[in-house]
Amino acid sequence: MATKNITVVGAGLVGSLLSIYLAKKGHIVNVYERRPDMRSAAIPAGRSINLALSDRGWRGLEGAGIGDAIRAIAIPMSGRMMHGVDGTLNYQPYGKEGQAINSVSRRILNMTLMDCAEQYPNITLHFNHRATDCDIDAPWVAFENTHTGEQSRVESDIIIGSDGAFSAIRERMQKTDRYNFSQDYLEHAYKELTIPPADDGGFRMEKNALHIWARKSFMMIALPNTDGSFTCTLFFPYKGEVSFEQLRTEDDVRVFFNEYFPDAVPMMPTLIEDFFGNPTSSLVTMRAFPWVYGNTAALIGDAAHAIVPFYGQGMNCGFEDCVVMSDCIDASGGDWTAAFANYERNRKPNGDAIAQLALDNFIEMRDKVADPDFLLRKKIEAKLHAEYPRSFTPLYTLVTFSPDVPYSEALRRGRENDTLMDAILAIPGVHDRWDDEDVRSAVQSFVQ
Amino acid sequence: MATKNITVVGAGLVGSLLSIYLAKKGHIVNVYERRPDMRSAAIPAGRSINLALSDRGWRGLEGAGIGDAIRAIAIPMSGRMMHGVDGTLNYQPYGKEGQAINSVSRRILNMTLMDCAEQYPNITLHFNHRATDCDIDAPWVAFENTHTGEQSRVESDIIIGSDGAFSAIRERMQKTDRYNFSQDYLEHAYKELTIPPADDGGFRMEKNALHIWARKSFMMIALPNTDGSFTCTLFFPYKGEVSFEQLRTEDDVRVFFNEYFPDAVPMMPTLIEDFFGNPTSSLVTMRAFPWVYGNTAALIGDAAHAIVPFYGQGMNCGFEDCVVMSDCIDASGGDWTAAFANYERNRKPNGDAIAQLALDNFIEMRDKVADPDFLLRKKIEAKLHAEYPRSFTPLYTLVTFSPDVPYSEALRRGRENDTLMDAILAIPGVHDRWDDEDVRSAVQSFVQ
C-alpha cells in the first residue's frame, strides 16, 4: 500500500491514538495541536479531569499497545453508589462480578498517548498550531502558530479532523452542498468540584464506585483519582428556580449544597473557591453528515459526533472510531475513497445511536436511579441476564461491556428489553415470587 | 403603545404580510429585499411557481384585508387525483364537500402583498438590498445595494428576520451562546416542469385537483394555474439507480418519463427543454432556537423553520406566524420582550410539529397513496369523521382545514388516530360490513 502524507488536526485523545494506528501502517503523520504541549506546560488538559474508560476504549488502546500502561493508572469502578439526601447509600453493580468501568485521568491518558506516538519516527507532533482554514479538495490546512503568529500552509494527501466538537475541518465541510448538521445544547451546564484525599491520604468515600447524588432535575457525580481525591461534577440547569443563575453568593452555594448534598459538604473544604473559580460549561450534541470527503478528508471523534457525557462513552466511541478506521484502511487495499466510505457507513449509525443513548442516560442517572421501582427493575434485569445470558443482556452491559455489539444494535436491543421488562413487571408479585413455578414459566415464555 | 422603527429583512410572502400587520398598529416599517422589485422586473418569483393556500393562510390574508383579492385568482383543488402507471385515475377528496386547498401563483400573491403594503404611508419597501451583517444588540442591519454596490447601515428599534431558509439574521443569532440549530437535507431534489394549456386554452386534466403520480421512492405532482397550464414538480433522488444523476441525455429523460409517467408525456411538449433548462433544487428542513432576542430581534417564516413542501404548509405556517406575532404584540401592551417571548413559546412547538408532519407526508404522498389499503383507510376515516365529527377528525383535515387546532395538537391527534385506525381495521371484514350491528358497536366503542 502506498505511503501517504497525512495531516491529523488535533492531538487530543482520539487524534493521538489514530496517529499511532496510521504510523503502524507506514504512513507519514503530522499531528497539529492548538494548545501547548501538556507534558511540559501547566495547562488544563481539556474539558473534564477524569473519564470512564470501558471495553470499547480498551480495545482501542490495546491496538496501540498501551493497554497495560493505562491499566496501571486506572481505578476500576464496579458500580454506582447512590447518595440519598438523608445520606443513605445504595450500591448497584454495573455488571457481573469482575466487570467495571475505569476512572482515568484525561491528562495522563493523553500524555501517554503522545509519548507513545512520538516513539514512531514517522509521527511528528506540532504544538501551538491553530487551524485557521483548510481546503479539502487540494488538500491543505492553514495554521497559525499561537506563539509566534507565524502563518503556514501544510499540504498533504489526507486531512483527518480530530479537532473536537468545534472542529475547524468540519466547519469547512459544512460549507459543501447539502451538508447535514445539528447542534443541540442541553439546558444544563456542568461544573467540576473537588473532594480532596483524607488526612491520611486515603479516599473519603468508597474508592471503587462512581458516586451519584441524583436529585431528579439535576445531579452531582464523583469519580476517584489515584491521589485519593475525587473529582465531582455538578450537572445543573443554567436558568430557572433551582439553577446556576440563582446561586450568586457564597451563602447561596452553601445553603444549596447543605440542602441537596449534605453528606458531601463536609468532604468539600474548597467548595466555595471551586464553585466560583471553575468554569460553568455547556453540554452539546453535534450531529454531522457526511464525515468524509472523497479520499482527502475524514472526521473522527467529537469532530464527527460530539455527545453528552452521561454514558461515559465519548472517548470510548472515539477510540472505537480509530479501530474501525484502521480496519477499513486495511481492508481497502490502498483505495482511500473506499476506506473512508466504509468507515462512514459503519460509524455514522453508531455515532447517532450513542448520542441518543447518552441523552437518555442523563434522565436515568439524575432521575430514575433514586426510584425504588427502577432499582428493582435493574435487579430483575441482572437476574434475567444471569439465567438467560444468550437471550437477555441489559442495555448498560451492551453499551459498556460488549464491544462486539455496535451501539446501534445496543440501542435497538435496549428498546426491546424495555418492552420485555414492562411485560415481566406486569406479572403480579413477580419480585417476591421470582422462583415460584408459575412466575418462572411466565418469564421464560417472554425471554425465549 | 409607543411607535417603533422596525426593519423587516425580506419582502417575500411572510415579510410582506407581516409588514402590513405592523403598519396597521402604527409602527414605521422599512422592508429590505435582496431581489429587484418583481412587479417591474422579469425575475423568478422564488422557489416554486405555485403554492397550496389553505385555511391557516386565508386567516393571515383576511387579517390584512386581501382575502377577496387572492380568492379571485385562486383555483380550488378539492382532492388528490392519483395517476397510475397504466393511466388509470383515482380521485380522493381532501375533506368534506366544499373544503379545498387552493392553487395560487407565488408571484401574483407576493405582488399583491407588496401592493397592499405600499398603500400604508408608514411602510417603505427597499429593493436590491442584500443584508451583509447585523448587530442584534444595537440593533442595526448592514446592507449592500446590489445595483450600485453602495453600503449602508440601518439602525432601528427592532429587526425582523423574514429572509428565508438561509436567513442572514438567523446566521447572526447562531453565533450567540448555546444556539440550537439543525439543517437536514433530503436525498431528493425537485425540478419544475410544465403542462401547457390545451389548444383551446382549457385545462388538459381535471382543473380542481392536485395531481399525483406516486411511484414509491419518487413522485411527480401538478397544480393548476389560471392560464390553463399546470406546473409539475418532480421529486426525485439526486443519486442512485433511478435518479437525476442517471438522466444525462435527452433519451434518458424520454425513456424515464415514458416508463413512469406515460399519460403525462403527451401533455408535456417542452419536457426536454424544461428538464435541462430548469434548476435541480434541494429540499431542507431547518430548525433553530431561540427565534427571538430580547426586544430587538425575531425570526419568522422560513427563517425560523424551513420545512419541506409536502404538506403544502410552508406559506400557511408563515402566515399563521404573522397572526400570532400580531396577537402577541397586541396582548403585550408595548412590552416587546414579552411579545416576542410569547410568540416564540406559542410558535416553536408548532414549527417543529409541521416540520415533522411535512416529512411524514412525503412518504404518504409518494408511496402510500397508491396503495389500495391506504385508500380504504382514508375512506373509513372520512366515514368516521362524518359519523363522529366531535371524536374523530382525520389528520389532513386537522392540518389543512382546522386553523383553530395548533399543528402540535394536530400531530398528537394524528398519532392517536393511527392507533385507533389500526384497531378498527383489525375488526374482521370491517370495510364490507360497515353497517352491520356488531361492527358499528365495536367501532363506536373505540371512537367514544
Side-chain angles (χ1 to χ4, degrees):
Chain A
M1 194 161 56
T3 297
K4 294 284 180 185
N5 253 299
I6 303 178
T7 301
V8 174
V9 182
L13 298 167
V14 173
S16 299
L17 181 63
L18 183 69
S19 72
I20 297 168
Y21 276 95
L22 295 172
K24 284 182 133 182
K25 300 181 201 302
H27 301 296
I28 297 158
V29 185
N30 282 280
V31 188
Y32 293 85
E33 168 59 41
R34 183 174 48 82
R35 291 168 298 177
D37 189 344
M38 63 171 74
R39 294 169 298 180
S40 51
I43 56 150
R47 286 180 310 158
S48 66
I49 292 170
N50 46 21
L51 299 159
L53 185 59
S54 55
D55 290 25
R56 293 172 206 270
W58 284 122
R59 178 176 282 184
L61 294 175
E62 300 296 355
I66 56 170
D68 287 340
I70 301 303
R71 228 179 305 275
I73 53 139
I75 302 177
M77 301 180 288
S78 51
R80 293 165 168 164
M81 185 70 81
M82 271 83 76
H83 293 241
V85 176
D86 62 358
T88 52
L89 296 178
N90 217 317
Y91 177 79
Q92 189 187 56
Y94 277 128
K96 294 182 185 176
E97 188 70 34
Q99 287 182 323
I101 60 176
N102 298 273
S103 180
V104 179
S105 154
R106 176 191 282 267
R107 171 187 287 272
I108 296 175
L109 183 52
N110 210 336
M111 294 194 305
T112 307
L113 284 164
M114 287 175 181
D115 286 343
C116 176
E118 284 196 329
Q119 286 169 19
Y120 289 84
N122 48 338
I123 298 183
T124 313
L125 302 181
H126 309 260
F127 294 95
N128 308 304
H129 276 73
R130 187 174 69 83
T132 54
D133 193 9
C134 76
D135 183 329
I136 54 178
D137 278 300
W140 53 255
V141 186
F143 294 100
E144 179 190 54
N145 185 311
T146 57
H147 278 185
T148 64
E150 194 190 333
Q151 310 282 332
S152 58
R153 178 181 284 197
V154 175
E155 295 185 4
S156 62
D157 300 313
I158 291 163
I159 303 170
I160 304 282
S162 54
D163 48 344
F166 298 91
S167 166
I169 308 303
R170 190 195 60 229
E171 209 165 278
R172 181 58 194 75
M173 287 173 73
Q174 281 172 230
K175 289 177 187 153
T176 57
D177 192 31
R178 294 191 293 132
Y179 198 83
N180 292 327
F181 174 72
S182 73
Q183 55 186 45
D184 289 286
Y185 286 85
L186 290 193
E187 293 179 9
H188 288 67
Y190 73 92
K191 188 184 280 286
E192 291 192 334
L193 303 165
T194 306
I195 293 178
D199 292 338
D200 65 357
F203 289 88
R204 289 179 193 252
M205 305 185 294
E206 167 59 43
K207 171 188 177 186
N208 295 113
L210 190 155
H211 295 261
I212 308 183
W213 291 258
R215 299 295 181 263
K216 297 271 181 196
S217 62
F218 59 90
M219 68 174 181
M220 184 166 76
I221 66 170
L223 277 74
N225 300 311
T226 47
D227 67 356
S229 68
F230 287 86
T231 302
C232 305
T233 311
L234 174 65
F235 296 95
F236 197 50
Y238 275 99
K239 292 178 184 178
E241 233 173 284
V242 183
S243 72
F244 277 112
E245 82 172 351
Q246 299 300 321
L247 303 185
R248 295 181 196 175
T249 67
E250 298 188 1
D251 263 4
D252 291 343
V253 174
R254 274 191 211 101
V255 167
F256 168 73
F257 272 79
N258 281 326
E259 181 172 351
Y260 291 101
F261 313 118
D263 65 330
V265 171
M267 300 186 286
M268 304 174 83
T270 56
L271 171 61
I272 298 298
E273 297 93 293
D274 292 349
F275 192 91
F276 290 103
N278 292 348
T280 305
S281 306
S282 62
L283 295 154
V284 68
T285 302
M286 301 240 184
R287 294 186 184 83
F289 193 82
W291 291 3
V292 304
Y293 187 81
N295 61 357
T296 57
L299 303 175
I300 196 163
D302 285 1
H305 49 68
I307 66 177
V308 293
F310 304 107
Y311 231 116
Q313 288 293 317
M315 167 188 59
N316 291 290
C317 179
F319 286 179
E320 192 170 69
D321 288 348
C322 295
V323 174
V324 173
M325 170 81 86
S326 172
D327 290 348
C328 289
I329 294 167
D330 290 344
S332 71
D335 178 347
W336 286 77
T337 304
F340 283 169
N342 285 332
Y343 156 75
E344 178 184 77
R345 185 159 39 242
N346 177 306
R347 292 307 286 167
K348 170 63 176 165
N350 292 313
D352 286 343
I354 192 59
Q356 186 58 53
L357 287 163
L359 288 165
D360 294 349
N361 213 42
F362 186 28
I363 312 293
E364 177 161 325
M365 285 180 85
R366 73 175 202 234
D367 190 347
K368 294 191 195 159
V369 294
D371 178 345
D373 281 355
F374 177 78
L375 297 180
L376 173 67
R377 180 180 279 244
K378 288 278 155 179
K379 273 185 196 156
I380 294 178
E381 287 191 353
K383 275 191 183 190
L384 279 179
H385 184 46
E387 295 194 26
Y388 309 98
R390 280 163 190 278
S391 324
F392 187 89
T393 308
L395 177 59
Y396 193 89
T397 299
L398 291 169
V399 171
T400 309
F401 305 125
S402 314
D404 290 329
V405 177
Y407 289 126
S408 53
E409 190 186 328
L411 177 64
R412 185 181 55 70
R413 286 172 62 180
R415 301 247 153 107
E416 287 172 9
N417 286 358
D418 288 343
T419 309
L420 182 72
M421 287 302 298
D422 288 344
I424 287 174
L425 287 167
I427 300 172
V430 63
H431 36 284
D432 301 326
R433 309 192 296 110
W434 184 256
D435 287 317
D436 289 8
E437 190 51 42
D438 63 325
V439 171
R440 289 196 72 84
S441 72
V443 167
Q444 213 155 352
S445 76
F446 286 125
V447 176
Q448 290 177 331
Chain B
M1 196 159 59
T3 298
K4 294 284 180 185
N5 252 299
I6 303 176
T7 301
V8 174
V9 182
L13 298 168
V14 173
S16 298
L17 181 63
L18 183 70
S19 71
I20 297 168
Y21 276 95
L22 295 172
K24 283 181 134 183
K25 300 181 203 301
H27 301 296
I28 298 159
V29 185
N30 282 280
V31 188
Y32 293 85
E33 167 59 40
R34 182 174 50 82
R35 291 167 298 177
D37 189 345
M38 64 172 72
R39 294 167 299 180
S40 51
I43 56 151
R47 287 180 309 161
S48 66
I49 292 169
N50 45 22
L51 299 159
L53 185 60
S54 56
D55 290 25
R56 294 172 206 270
W58 284 122
R59 178 178 281 185
L61 294 175
E62 299 295 355
I66 56 170
D68 287 342
I70 301 303
R71 229 178 306 275
I73 54 139
I75 301 177
M77 301 180 288
S78 51
R80 293 166 169 163
M81 185 70 81
M82 271 84 76
H83 294 241
V85 176
D86 62 358
T88 52
L89 297 178
N90 218 316
Y91 177 77
Q92 188 188 55
Y94 278 126
K96 294 181 184 176
E97 186 71 33
Q99 287 181 322
I101 60 175
N102 298 271
S103 179
V104 179
S105 153
R106 176 190 282 267
R107 171 187 285 273
I108 296 176
L109 182 52
N110 209 336
M111 294 195 303
T112 307
L113 284 164
M114 287 176 179
D115 285 344
C116 175
E118 285 197 329
Q119 284 168 23
Y120 290 83
N122 48 336
I123 297 182
T124 313
L125 301 181
H126 309 260
F127 294 95
N128 308 306
H129 275 72
R130 187 174 70 84
T132 54
D133 194 8
C134 75
D135 182 329
I136 54 178
D137 279 299
W140 53 255
V141 185
F143 294 100
E144 179 189 57
N145 186 311
T146 57
H147 277 185
T148 64
E150 195 190 333
Q151 310 280 331
S152 58
R153 178 181 285 197
V154 175
E155 296 185 3
S156 62
D157 299 311
I158 291 163
I159 304 169
I160 304 282
S162 53
D163 47 346
F166 298 91
S167 167
I169 308 304
R170 189 194 62 229
E171 210 165 276
R172 181 59 194 74
M173 288 174 73
Q174 280 173 230
K175 289 178 186 154
T176 58
D177 191 32
R178 293 191 294 133
Y179 198 84
N180 294 325
F181 174 71
S182 73
Q183 54 185 46
D184 289 287
Y185 286 85
L186 290 192
E187 294 180 7
H188 288 68
Y190 73 92
K191 189 184 280 286
E192 292 192 334
L193 303 165
T194 306
I195 294 178
D199 291 339
D200 64 359
F203 289 89
R204 289 179 193 251
M205 305 185 293
E206 167 59 43
K207 170 188 178 186
N208 295 114
L210 190 155
H211 295 262
I212 309 184
W213 291 257
R215 298 296 181 262
K216 297 271 180 196
S217 63
F218 60 90
M219 68 174 181
M220 184 167 74
I221 65 170
L223 277 73
N225 300 310
T226 47
D227 67 355
S229 69
F230 287 86
T231 303
C232 305
T233 311
L234 174 65
F235 296 96
F236 196 50
Y238 275 99
K239 293 177 183 179
E241 230 172 288
V242 183
S243 71
F244 278 113
E245 80 172 355
Q246 299 300 322
L247 303 185
R248 294 181 196 175
T249 68
E250 297 189 3
D251 262 4
D252 291 342
V253 174
R254 272 190 212 102
V255 167
F256 168 73
F257 272 79
N258 281 326
E259 179 172 355
Y260 290 101
F261 313 117
D263 64 331
V265 171
M267 300 186 285
M268 303 174 84
T270 57
L271 171 61
I272 298 299
E273 297 93 294
D274 292 348
F275 192 90
F276 290 103
N278 292 348
T280 305
S281 306
S282 62
L283 296 155
V284 68
T285 302
M286 301 242 184
R287 294 185 184 84
F289 193 80
W291 291 2
V292 304
Y293 186 80
N295 61 357
T296 57
L299 304 175
I300 196 163
D302 285 0
H305 49 67
I307 65 177
V308 293
F310 305 106
Y311 231 116
Q313 289 292 314
M315 166 187 61
N316 291 289
C317 179
F319 285 180
E320 192 170 69
D321 288 348
C322 295
V323 174
V324 173
M325 168 81 85
S326 173
D327 290 348
C328 289
I329 294 168
D330 290 344
S332 71
D335 178 348
W336 285 78
T337 304
F340 282 170
N342 284 332
Y343 156 75
E344 179 185 75
R345 186 158 40 240
N346 177 305
R347 293 307 288 167
K348 171 63 176 166
N350 292 314
D352 286 343
I354 191 60
Q356 186 57 52
L357 287 162
L359 288 165
D360 295 348
N361 212 43
F362 186 29
I363 313 291
E364 178 162 326
M365 284 180 85
R366 73 176 202 234
D367 191 347
K368 295 191 196 160
V369 296
D371 177 347
D373 281 354
F374 177 78
L375 298 180
L376 172 67
R377 180 179 277 245
K378 287 278 156 180
K379 273 186 194 153
I380 293 178
E381 286 191 354
K383 274 190 182 187
L384 278 179
H385 184 45
E387 293 192 26
Y388 309 99
R390 280 162 191 277
S391 323
F392 186 89
T393 307
L395 178 59
Y396 193 88
T397 299
L398 291 169
V399 171
T400 309
F401 304 126
S402 313
D404 292 328
V405 177
Y407 288 125
S408 52
E409 190 186 329
L411 177 64
R412 184 180 56 70
R413 287 172 62 180
R415 302 248 154 106
E416 288 172 11
N417 286 358
D418 287 343
T419 309
L420 183 73
M421 286 303 298
D422 288 344
I424 287 174
L425 287 166
I427 301 171
V430 61
H431 37 283
D432 300 326
R433 308 191 297 112
W434 184 257
D435 287 318
D436 289 9
E437 191 51 41
D438 63 324
V439 171
R440 291 196 70 86
S441 70
V443 168
Q444 214 155 350
S445 75
F446 287 125
V447 177
Q448 288 177 334

